[in-house]
Amino acid sequence: VSVLVGAPKANTSQPGVLQGGAVYLCPWGAGSVHCSPIEFDSKGSRILESLVSSPEVEEPVEYKSLQWFGATVRAHGSSILACAPLYSWRTEKEPLSDPVGTCYLSTDNFTRILEYAPCRSDFSWVAGQGYCQGGFSAEFTKTGRVVLGGPGSYFWQGQILSATQEQIAESYYPEYLINLVQGQLQTRQASSIYDDSYLGYSVAVGEFSGDNTEDFVAGVPKGNLTYGY
């Protein structure tokens, strides 16, 4: 048995990254315990190739410093999900950075590492998924399906996104910034009266309706005139 510990402000060996955050694997047992960091991501921020005019000018396309990796950690069988809700990237259209959030999924006892960033999409800026902070909350279902909460989508209406580990693996191309996951489930944008509700601030999975099908539950802390629901 081991314990997973998220350290969202830890410094790592990623080049050019300040306090990127880390996740530690700590064996559980008597005596001295030596925790070791899990290497989900060893790379620095990717550079926007089209804007590089000289080696001295490097425009990042993503920002891994202060991303809070390890703020959300979940485990299911031999799979581990760890998220960085404050990870941000910039689109080529806008020089500003969007805090879309990202997660890394380790499968089959660390034999494969996948990135799952469903809010890093073409629907950028605050009106879309640009402020999603995907992975602010996360959970696995009993069958290992990944469920993410992104409270900042659509003017902070918030959003729930979900995909199976198989769907994430089949749609993953590490050289692409945008990976459209085929078969992914996600809530849609609602009326503007639901702005600033924070759907997905928390998520949970259970069976509540007596039909033997797992249900998703999401907290909406600022909905209903901030009474929440």
Side-chain angles (χ1 to χ4, degrees):
V1 175
S2 297
V3 176
L4 293 167
V5 180
K9 296 190 79 174
N11 272 313
T12 65
S13 58
Q14 293 165 267
V17 176
L18 172 70
Q19 293 184 354
V23 176
Y24 294 89
L25 184 69
C26 304
W28 185 261
S32 60
V33 174
H34 177 70
C35 298
S36 54
I38 303 171
E39 194 171 289
F40 283 96
D41 177 25
S42 60
K43 297 173 182 167
S45 299
R46 280 179 275 197
I47 303 302
L48 196 59
E49 299 291 344
S50 60
L51 291 183
V52 177
S53 55
S54 69
E56 293 79 29
V57 180
E58 290 192 340
E59 289 285 347
V61 71
E62 59 181 356
Y63 303 91
K64 296 181 179 180
S65 291
L66 307 173
Q67 64 179 348
W68 279 36
F69 181 69
T72 309
V73 182
R74 293 289 183 270
H76 178 274
S78 60
S79 297
I80 297 171
L81 181 75
C83 301
L86 295 185
Y87 163 93
S88 61
W89 80 309
R90 57 168 286 182
T91 66
E92 290 196 52
K93 304 168 194 169
E94 295 284 342
L96 306 173
S97 61
D98 285 0
V100 291
T102 188
C103 297
Y104 283 85
L105 177 66
S106 168
T107 63
D108 301 319
N109 284 321
F110 312 112
T111 56
R112 189 171 186 193
I113 304 288
L114 309 165
E115 187 182 12
Y116 181 42
C119 291
R120 195 171 61 205
S121 69
D122 289 324
F123 306 107
S124 57
W125 199 60
V126 67
Q129 294 175 298
Y131 285 68
C132 169
Q133 295 182 44
F136 190 94
S137 62
E139 196 55 87
F140 280 111
T141 69
K142 275 186 180 178
T143 58
R145 170 184 278 275
V146 175
V147 184
L148 298 185
S153 291
Y154 311 128
F155 291 109
W156 290 275
Q157 288 183 10
Q159 190 175 26
I160 302 298
L161 308 106
S162 178
T164 67
Q165 296 184 46
E166 292 75 21
Q167 289 169 339
I168 295 170
E170 289 169 5
S171 304
Y172 180 57
Y173 297 94
E175 64 273 18
Y176 293 176
L177 276 163
I178 296 176
N179 283 287
L180 299 175
V181 177
Q182 298 298 321
Q184 175 178 277
L185 303 175
Q186 62 184 62
T187 56
R188 299 188 184 97
Q189 185 173 9
S191 162
S192 61
I193 62 170
Y194 294 101
D195 289 358
D196 299 306
S197 293
Y198 292 10
L199 169 72
Y201 200 90
S202 56
V203 294
V205 178
E207 206 296 282
F208 304 105
S209 54
D211 60 1
N212 293 320
T213 301
E214 283 184 305
D215 305 306
F216 301 166
V217 183
V220 193
K222 289 188 71 178
N224 190 26
L225 302 175
T226 70
Y227 282 104
Y229 58 89

